[in-house]
Amino acid sequence: MSIEKVKAYFATLGREKEVMEFPVSSATVELAAQALSVEPARIAKTLSFQGEDENHCILIVTAGDAKIDNSKFRHFFKMKARMLSPEKVVESTGHAIGGVCPFANPEGVRTYLDISLQRFDTVFPACGSSNSAIELHCDELFRYALAIQWIDVCK
């Protein structure tokens, strides 16, 4: 189960007890914001894109109110933004839609953080299930996600 992999990952960091699980769904930005009683923008949503070929996956973590700007994406990655199908997301990350997160992903998944998150001290990414999250400072999110870099690909 994906959340168990994420909890095991956070256990290596001494933070597994901080993974929150809710009795309600947090599968969308709006539902997560309600479950956490925070503004939707503070939800760190993880979007899955096709990499340079069908065997590569790019994850971009953005603020909950941000949207990918196709022109900025194309300029940065030198290719068109193509989101993965739900089946390909699970195959590529091990996480299902609604619980996709930047933690405990298979080797080769490349994770980037969008600067839209930097306006917040802390944000709430999912933890591998459709009813989980953890509160992290942006610098912690960068480290724990094994992010490659901060990028600007949102509107």
Side-chain angles (χ1 to χ4, degrees), residues 9 14 26 32 37-38 52 58 75 78 83 90 114 117 126 139 148 152:
Y9 173 69
S26 59
S37 297
V38 299
E52 52 276 359
I58 297 169
H75 182 265
K78 308 296 186 236
M83 294 196 76
V90 173
D114 186 78
L117 294 163
D139 62 327
I148 295 170
D152 179 8

Side-chain angles (χ1 to χ4, degrees), residues 72-83:
K72 287 181 177 182
F73 185 101
R74 184 175 301 127
H75 182 265
F76 183 82
F77 289 104
K78 308 296 186 236
M79 63 184 161
K80 182 179 179 179
R82 292 185 322 219
M83 294 196 76

Side-chain angles (χ1 to χ4, degrees), residues 37-139:
S37 297
V38 299
E39 66 178 295
R42 287 187 61 205
I43 303 303
K45 65 182 175 183
T46 304
L47 303 172
S48 310
F49 294 90
Q50 177 69 54
E52 52 276 359
D53 63 47
E54 65 183 40
N55 297 316
H56 292 92
C57 173
I58 297 169
L59 298 180
I60 301 177
V61 186
T62 74
D65 62 348
K67 295 192 183 317
I68 295 293
D69 181 309
N70 288 325
S71 177
K72 287 181 177 182
F73 185 101
R74 184 175 301 127
H75 182 265
F76 183 82
F77 289 104
K78 308 296 186 236
M79 63 184 161
K80 182 179 179 179
R82 292 185 322 219
M83 294 196 76
L84 297 179
S85 69
E87 299 79 26
K88 189 68 177 172
V89 170
V90 173
E91 179 185 322
S92 298
T93 68
H95 307 301
I97 300 273
V100 177
C101 66
F103 316 114
N105 286 297
E107 193 173 317
V109 173
R110 295 177 308 174
T111 303
Y112 297 85
L113 304 185
D114 186 78
I115 62 170
S116 60
L117 294 163
Q118 292 180 332
R119 62 193 146 135
F120 304 107
D121 184 39
T122 63
V123 294
F124 298 87
C127 288
S129 72
S130 61
N131 67 326
S132 64
I134 189 169
E135 183 175 15
L136 296 173
H137 291 275
C138 287
D139 62 327

